[in-house]
């Protein structure tokens, strides 16, 4: 038989690996800083670029797209070449992909602290960066399909299906969720508003977790776990079944992020049902991973790589059981907006993604440098410190989440809220925040053990830039197997495979989203709800810039405990002019949906200057720069025009007078502040922010009769 | 309140039914699929990542050389 000689490109794998480790350290450091900021608000050193609201998205983006994204690409580039028995299709494209991705990360690291954000979670980057992401992501897909098409191995291994599903679905999600109307180079508004925007965002957010943090990592698990254990995967049948079931079901479950919100009931229920169903394929994957080690558990004892992988797969199993439980309405009523969610996502991120990444790094680097791991003992220590870190992180967060939620809901025998002051419930859980940051510190410290160990390993060996390999060319003859033709036919045809995966994913997406687009024409309009005034609109953009949505929701759920605390529950019709929606997902501070007219202007002014002046013990950062920075009103006409083209009924030509109205409203607020002894100036950021906060939720108070 | 309006969309009830049918067909179909798969093929696929140098055109696990690898 004629055998071809070729080589695998290890260089690109090395680059992605190094980037991943560097950004893991950066991302975790930022995470640690914001964790401490929750009990030491001064830790932003009074610098606006380091406030919680601005660097919290930096943390999530760095961990998801820089740390986990880069290791995912490293693992895909390593395993894809080997299971296809072919070098990557195009080395230059690989390099373009690598440098393009790092450029995106750099752009994120600059823009997010500057407050340039769309405010949509995990999709915060502004439109020029969104375009870059699309181009770079397509280059990855082109390279992957190029490699699959020129492969020598006839059949496509299950890991590669997961990679294909990842590529196809992330492309769809990114495009749909990023449709926005640019106002300037660094500012855009989501074309969707209110309820519609919320549904699209959480359809995206949920499936970004599914197809960026789950499917590619299952693919990596199917390659690296058998490699590390040196035995085949437990059941190939199960892998096929759970692959199709997983990608089909996942896409439907997005609405479980919006339970008890203004979203239609049937969509909420659909999200719940599919979330429960999701346990089956998720656990199929977990069991397939764990059972691969059947009869080889003794090896786990002395192999740190397997230890990392076992904890990773176990964490995956825990998180994918917890997720469906959280999507039950009764559980969600307690967990939503609390630290429970934070605990849940960190079981996934630290446990599943982190531990699997470390296992893969410890496995790949000795292989690529042709040597043995420098210190097994150190890797074992890293394993234990990370595992302890996860425990110290998650347990206090569960505790904090449940405790705070119960306090929010507690009534006295007389029927009034037992803890009417939100801050009181926050102060109760500060000790938990302290323990959590200790857990984070342990996990972070483990990173340095990993770096030292891997550098020492690399130094002991010699990097194999191009790994020689040989295989026979692809023989295009008839299928030699007897039964199960259809699936093999499919998996020999990657393009058709990708199209089928796309169809499977789109069914769920369309059934979920199409009615939402219909909502727009069916939404009950509330006559009293009017567009924001120009000053309020500017104030809203300051709210977005400062990342207030990281800690404050704008959605009162229909519970007595919430209507007592905040006021009338939120109606879908109240959000029709909200591009983007700002419902938030976490209440570190109280809900603001009915904040308007609750406090006088002077309260807000002093509260922004130093929250502890008004609420002793508050953990909110100070925003003194809002008092001194001048509001940029040159953008007002462009913003009014943009909003009008998105359907907000500003009269034609209003953009020419908008700034006059803005100044009039600013003068009224300033006069009120001056009357109360504050030497305020009308042209500062704070005036716009106060105008926005005082408007929140007031429309339906104006005329109760117009509310349905 | 919004669900009332949603329920007025013509034929809205068809969506959950379509979902259920499509999912059931897909799931049962996949089960039938995997149960009918050839055992030899499964063994070969399971071993695919492990052996870097087995014959990629053979339906069985055959090695070019170094069978111990």
């Amino acid at each position: 038989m004629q055998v071809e000689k070729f080589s695998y490109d290890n260089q690109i794998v090395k680059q992605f690996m190094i980037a991943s480790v560097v950004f893991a350290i950066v991302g975790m450091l930022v995470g640690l800083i914001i964790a401490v900021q929750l009990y030491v608000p001064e830790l932003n050193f009074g610098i606006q670029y380091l406030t919680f609201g601005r660097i919290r998205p930096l943390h999530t983006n760095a961990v998801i797209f820089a740390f986990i994204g880069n290791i995912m690409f490293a693992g895909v580039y390593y395993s894809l070449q080997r299971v296809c028995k072919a070098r990557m299709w195009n080395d230059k494209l690989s390099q373009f992909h690598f440098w393009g991705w790092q450029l995106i990360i750099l752009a994120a690291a600059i823009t997010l602290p500057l407050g340039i954000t769309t405010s949509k979670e995990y999709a915060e980057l502004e439109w020029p960066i969104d375009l870059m992401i699309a181009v770079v992501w397509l280059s990855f897909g082109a390279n992957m399909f190029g490699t699959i098409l020129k492969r020598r191995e006839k059949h496509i291994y299950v890991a590669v299906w997961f990679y294909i599903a990842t590529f196809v679905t992330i492309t769809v999600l990114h495009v749909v969720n990023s449709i926005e109307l640019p106002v300037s180079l660094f500012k855009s508004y989501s074309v969707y508003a209110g309820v519609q925007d919320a549904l699209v965002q959480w359809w995206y957010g949920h499936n970004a977790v599914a197809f960026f943090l789950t499917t590619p990592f299952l693919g990596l698990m199917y390659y690296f776990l058998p490699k590390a254990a040196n035995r085949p995967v437990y059941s190939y049948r199960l892998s096929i079944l759970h692959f199709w079931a997983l990608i089909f079901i996942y896409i439907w479950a997005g609405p479980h992020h919006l339970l008890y919100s203004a979203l239609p009931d049937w969509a909420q229920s659909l999200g719940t049902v599919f979330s429960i169903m999701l346990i089956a394929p998720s656990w199929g994957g977990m069991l397939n991973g764990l059972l691969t080690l059947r009869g080889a558990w003794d090896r786990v004892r002395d192999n740190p790589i397997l230890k990392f992988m076992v904890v990773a797969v176990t964490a995956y199993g825990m998180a994918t059981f917890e997720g469906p439980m959280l999507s039950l309405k009764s559980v969600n009523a307690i967990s939503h907006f609390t630290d429970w969610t934070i605990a849940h996502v960190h079981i996934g991120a630290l446990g599943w993604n982190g531990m699997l990444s470390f296992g893969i790094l410890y496995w790949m680097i000795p292989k690529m440098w042709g040597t043995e791991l420098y210190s097994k003992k150190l890797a074992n220590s890293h394993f234990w410190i990370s595992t302890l870190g996860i425990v110290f992180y998650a347990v206090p967060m569960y505790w904090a989440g449940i405790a705070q939620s119960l306090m929010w809901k507690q009534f006295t025998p007389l029927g009034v809220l037992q803890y009417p002051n939100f801050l009181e419930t926050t102060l109760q859980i500060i000790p938990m925040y302290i323990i959590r940051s200790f857990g984070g510190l342990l996990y972070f410290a483990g990173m340095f053990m990993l770096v030292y160990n891997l550098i020492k390993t690399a130094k002991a060996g010699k990097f194999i830039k191009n790994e020689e390999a040989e295989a026979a060319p692809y023989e295009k003859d008839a299928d030699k197997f007897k039964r199960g033709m259809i699936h093999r036919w499919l998996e020999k045809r990657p393009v058709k495979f990708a199209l089928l995966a796309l169809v499977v994913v789109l069914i769920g997406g369309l059934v979920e989203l199409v009615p939402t687009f219909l909502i727009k024409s069916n939404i009950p309009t509330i006559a009293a709800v009017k567009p924001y005034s120009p000053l309020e609109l500017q104030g809203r953009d300051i709210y977005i810039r400062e990342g207030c949505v990281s800690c404050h929701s704008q959605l009162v759920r229909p519970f007595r405990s919430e209507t007592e605390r905040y006021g009338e529950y939120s109606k879908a019709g109240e959000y029709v002019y909200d591009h983007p929606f700002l419902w938030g997902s976490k209440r570190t501070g109280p809900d603001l949906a009915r904040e308007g007219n609750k406090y006088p202007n002077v309260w807000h002014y002093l509260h922004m200057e130093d929250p502890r002046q008004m609420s002793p013990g508050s953990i909110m950062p100070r925003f003194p720069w809002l008092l001194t920075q001048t509001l940029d009103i040159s953008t007002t006409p462009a913003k009014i025009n943009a909003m009008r083209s998105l359907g907000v009924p500003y009269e034609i030509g209003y953009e020419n007078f908008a700034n006059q109205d803005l100044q009039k409203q600013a003068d009224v607020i300033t006069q009120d502040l001056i009357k109360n002894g504050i030497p305020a100036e009308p042209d500062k950021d704070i005036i716009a922010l106060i105008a926005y906060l005082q408007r929140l939720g007031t429309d339906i108070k104006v005329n109760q009769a117009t509310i349905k | 309140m919004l669900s009332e309006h949603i329920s007025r969309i013509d034929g809205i009830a068809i969506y959950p039914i379509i979902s259920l049918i499509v999912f059931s067909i897909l799931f049962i179909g996949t089960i039938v699929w995997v149960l009918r798969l050839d055992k030899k093929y499964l063994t070969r696929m399971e071993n695919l990542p492990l052996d870097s140098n087995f014959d990629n055109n053979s339906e069985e696990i055959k090695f070019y050389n170094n069978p111990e690898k």
Side-chain angles (χ1 to χ4, degrees):
Chain A
M1 182 185 302
Q2 198 200 340
V3 170
E4 289 177 345
K5 288 198 181 302
F6 59 98
S7 65
Y8 297 128
D9 181 5
N10 276 349
Q11 174 64 27
I12 186 69
V13 181
K14 176 184 166 185
Q15 286 169 257
F16 274 118
M17 271 187 332
I18 294 173
S20 168
V21 173
V22 169
F23 290 124
I25 292 175
V26 174
M28 289 178 203
L29 178 66
V30 179
L32 194 55
I33 293 172
I34 56 174
V36 179
Q37 280 183 353
L38 284 178
Y39 53 92
V40 187
E42 296 80 17
L43 199 68
N44 58 37
F45 310 107
I47 300 167
Q48 54 178 316
Y49 311 111
L50 298 180
T51 43
F52 187 94
R54 295 202 195 183
I55 63 174
R56 189 252 177 196
L58 187 65
H59 163 64
T60 52
N61 279 280
V63 168
I64 297 172
F65 300 109
F67 163 40
I68 295 171
N70 274 317
I71 192 73
M72 159 184 129
F73 294 132
V76 169
Y77 276 73
Y78 187 91
S79 57
L80 181 69
Q81 299 186 76
R82 281 154 181 89
V83 292
C84 288
K85 292 200 165 58
R87 192 183 172 88
M88 287 310 294
W89 179 51
N90 186 324
D91 283 4
K92 286 209 177 73
L93 203 55
S94 302
Q95 288 299 322
F96 174 79
H97 172 206
F98 175 79
W99 290 108
W101 195 254
Q102 310 317 315
L103 189 65
I104 291 164
I105 294 167
L106 180 71
I110 294 170
T111 55
L112 292 173
L114 287 174
I116 298 167
T117 171
T118 65
S119 88
K120 293 174 93 169
E121 273 183 271
Y122 324 122
E124 287 92 349
L125 303 176
E126 265 299 351
W127 69 273
I129 309 176
D130 280 342
L131 290 177
M132 278 163 66
I133 295 172
V135 172
V136 174
W137 185 255
L138 289 178
S139 75
F140 162 61
N143 211 359
M144 177 164 74
F145 277 101
T147 310
I148 296 173
L149 289 173
K150 70 163 205 181
R151 74 193 184 281
R152 294 182 178 80
E153 169 60 49
K154 192 180 296 172
H155 297 283
I156 300 176
Y157 184 60
V158 57
V160 181
W161 314 347
F162 280 98
Y163 304 156
I164 293 175
T166 300
F167 170 72
V168 168
T169 316
I170 292 291
T171 309
V172 176
L173 293 172
H174 177 68
V175 170
V176 174
N177 194 41
S178 300
I179 302 178
E180 49 217 355
L181 184 69
V183 177
S184 66
L185 186 55
F186 296 116
K187 179 77 194 164
S188 66
Y189 291 125
S190 171
V191 295
Y192 317 106
V195 177
Q196 205 179 356
D197 197 34
L199 187 63
V200 173
Q201 157 61 24
W202 284 112
W203 170 77
Y204 163 86
H206 174 74
N207 290 301
V209 171
F211 289 88
F212 203 87
L213 302 176
T214 307
T215 53
F217 273 70
L218 284 168
L220 296 178
M221 178 191 87
Y222 275 117
Y223 182 80
F224 288 98
L225 185 60
K227 286 300 256 187
N230 197 26
R231 53 197 298 127
V233 60
Y234 170 66
S235 165
Y236 203 73
R237 282 199 177 102
L238 182 56
S239 70
I240 297 176
L241 187 63
H242 105 96
F243 170 79
W244 287 106
L246 192 83
I247 68 164
F248 183 79
I249 298 178
Y250 235 122
I251 206 87
W252 301 70
H256 68 202
H257 290 258
L258 300 167
L259 299 179
Y260 289 111
S261 72
L263 191 73
D265 264 355
W266 73 268
Q268 297 186 27
S269 304
L270 198 68
T272 302
V273 169
F274 275 87
S275 302
I276 301 296
M277 282 160 62
L278 204 43
I279 296 178
S282 302
W283 276 44
M286 174 197 67
L287 291 173
N288 218 358
L290 288 181
L291 288 175
T292 297
L293 294 167
R294 76 203 176 287
W297 283 94
D298 54 307
R299 244 181 272 169
V300 178
R301 197 185 311 155
D302 51 28
N303 184 344
I305 297 171
L306 288 180
K307 279 185 196 163
F308 276 110
M309 291 183 175
V310 166
V311 169
V313 176
T314 310
Y316 174 66
M318 294 196 310
T320 52
F321 178 75
E322 189 187 8
M325 293 304 111
L326 290 174
S327 70
L328 296 174
K329 277 185 127 178
S330 48
V331 180
N332 196 270
I334 301 170
S335 75
H336 198 53
F337 291 134
T338 75
D339 288 305
W340 190 339
T341 313
I342 318 297
H344 171 63
V345 299
H346 281 84
I347 293 288
L350 301 174
W352 164 238
N353 297 114
M355 298 298 252
L356 194 65
S357 304
F358 302 150
I360 291 171
L361 284 167
Y362 282 123
W363 188 86
M364 275 202 299
I365 288 191
K367 285 275 181 297
M368 288 166 50
W369 268 263
T371 180
E372 294 288 308
L373 187 62
Y374 167 70
S375 167
K376 247 187 186 183
K377 219 172 153 185
L378 192 59
N380 264 317
S381 311
H382 177 207
F383 168 77
W384 283 110
I385 201 171
S386 322
T387 307
L388 266 180
I390 296 174
V391 174
F392 272 101
Y393 189 106
V395 173
M397 283 291 96
Y398 285 118
W399 197 303
I402 295 169
Q404 192 176 26
S405 183
L406 294 180
M407 282 192 280
W408 289 344
K409 290 174 182 295
Q410 188 62 48
F411 283 94
T412 67
L414 291 174
V416 292
L417 286 170
Q418 179 150 10
Y419 306 96
N421 184 0
F422 187 96
L423 183 56
E424 205 179 336
T425 68
T426 311
L427 296 177
Q428 289 292 332
I429 58 172
I430 294 289
M432 298 299 146
Y433 284 168
I434 297 173
I435 304 172
R436 179 266 293 269
S437 56
F438 173 69
L441 180 68
L442 288 181
Y443 198 88
F444 180 60
M447 284 308 294
F448 295 94
M449 297 178 174
L450 172 121
V451 170
Y452 179 75
N453 207 350
L454 292 182
I455 290 179
K456 279 290 201 185
T457 306
K459 284 210 165 140
K462 191 173 178 309
F463 179 58
I464 308 159
K465 198 170 170 186
N466 295 299
E467 195 177 316
E468 299 304 323
E470 52 181 33
Y474 188 156
E475 249 177 49
K476 284 198 172 70
D477 60 352
D479 198 310
K480 289 167 187 155
F481 300 108
K482 291 190 195 81
R483 289 181 303 157
M485 280 284 289
I486 307 168
H487 201 262
R488 286 204 310 281
W489 178 86
L490 193 66
E491 65 183 42
K492 278 189 287 185
R493 288 161 182 80
V495 177
K496 293 192 180 70
F497 187 97
L499 286 176
L500 185 66
L502 178 68
V503 168
V504 164
V505 163
L506 282 183
I507 292 171
L510 288 177
V511 173
E512 206 173 273
L513 292 180
V514 166
T516 327
F517 286 90
L518 295 177
I519 285 176
K520 192 158 190 176
S521 51
N522 287 279
I523 212 151
T525 40
I526 300 175
V529 174
K530 296 270 183 272
Y532 294 106
S533 77
L535 187 65
E536 290 156 4
L537 193 60
Q538 292 284 9
R540 193 169 198 270
D541 286 338
I542 292 171
Y543 187 95
I544 290 172
R545 182 187 79 196
E546 300 297 340
C548 307
V549 72
S550 295
C551 296
H552 294 282
S553 57
Q554 286 188 19
L555 180 85
V556 181
R557 294 181 293 174
F559 298 138
R560 185 167 160 250
S561 61
E562 297 208 356
T563 52
E564 286 289 306
R565 185 183 298 278
Y566 303 116
E568 183 65 26
Y569 69 87
S570 300
K571 317 284 189 296
E574 290 183 78
Y575 299 104
V576 288
Y577 304 128
D578 283 12
H579 296 271
F581 82 117
L582 290 172
W583 291 0
S585 60
K586 173 72 173 68
R587 283 181 187 154
T588 305
D591 187 275
L592 298 180
R594 303 270 173 237
E595 186 68 5
N597 294 337
K598 223 174 225 180
Y599 302 103
N601 293 335
V602 62
W603 186 93
H604 286 292
Y605 190 96
L606 294 172
H607 187 251
M608 287 297 164
E609 186 180 37
D610 183 359
R612 279 153 293 284
Q613 290 183 90
M614 311 314 291
S615 317
S618 167
I619 60 171
M620 180 169 140
R622 299 173 61 219
F623 291 89
W625 49 88
L626 295 179
L627 277 53
T628 52
Q629 275 174 193
T630 304
L631 180 71
D632 177 12
I633 58 166
S634 67
T635 54
T636 312
K639 287 180 176 179
I640 296 285
N641 284 333
M643 284 293 180
R644 188 192 302 112
S645 37
L646 294 176
V648 180
Y650 291 114
E651 276 170 40
I652 307 249
Y654 182 64
E655 63 275 13
N656 304 322
F657 311 102
N659 270 332
Q660 293 169 18
D661 278 2
L662 182 149
Q663 264 143 7
K664 260 187 243 160
Q665 195 183 359
D667 285 337
V668 173
I669 295 172
T670 314
Q671 286 311 316
D672 177 62
L673 287 170
I674 290 172
K675 211 168 65 191
N676 285 286
I678 302 285
E681 293 166 62
D683 59 347
K684 302 300 178 208
D685 280 355
I686 184 76
I687 306 296
L689 186 62
I690 290 176
Y692 174 61
L693 291 173
Q694 294 291 29
R695 170 70 185 276
L696 281 173
T698 52
D699 282 349
I700 68 164
K701 286 181 194 165
V702 174
N703 184 359
Q704 288 290 339
T706 54
I707 309 162
K708 263 203 129 171
Chain B
M1 144 219 71
L2 193 57
S3 49
E4 282 168 31
H5 294 268
I6 279 290
S7 64
R8 277 181 220 152
I9 299 173
D10 284 338
I12 192 76
I14 201 77
Y15 278 97
I17 294 168
I18 292 175
S19 323
L20 187 70
I21 293 172
V22 167
F23 175 74
S24 308
I25 292 172
L26 192 107
F27 193 67
I28 294 166
T30 316
I31 289 179
V32 172
W33 221 351
V34 295
L35 288 179
R36 288 175 47 85
L37 282 173
D38 194 316
K39 189 91 177 86
K40 267 195 265 174
Y41 160 78
L42 288 171
T43 317
R44 189 186 177 290
M45 290 310 283
E46 281 167 7
N47 284 284
L48 195 143
L50 295 178
D51 306 287
S52 53
N53 62 347
F54 73 67
D55 182 349
N56 45 296
N57 281 316
S58 156
E59 72 269 36
E60 301 195 36
I61 306 171
K62 264 197 294 189
F63 299 96
Y64 299 132
N65 48 28
N66 302 334
E68 77 280 3
K69 237 183 163 180

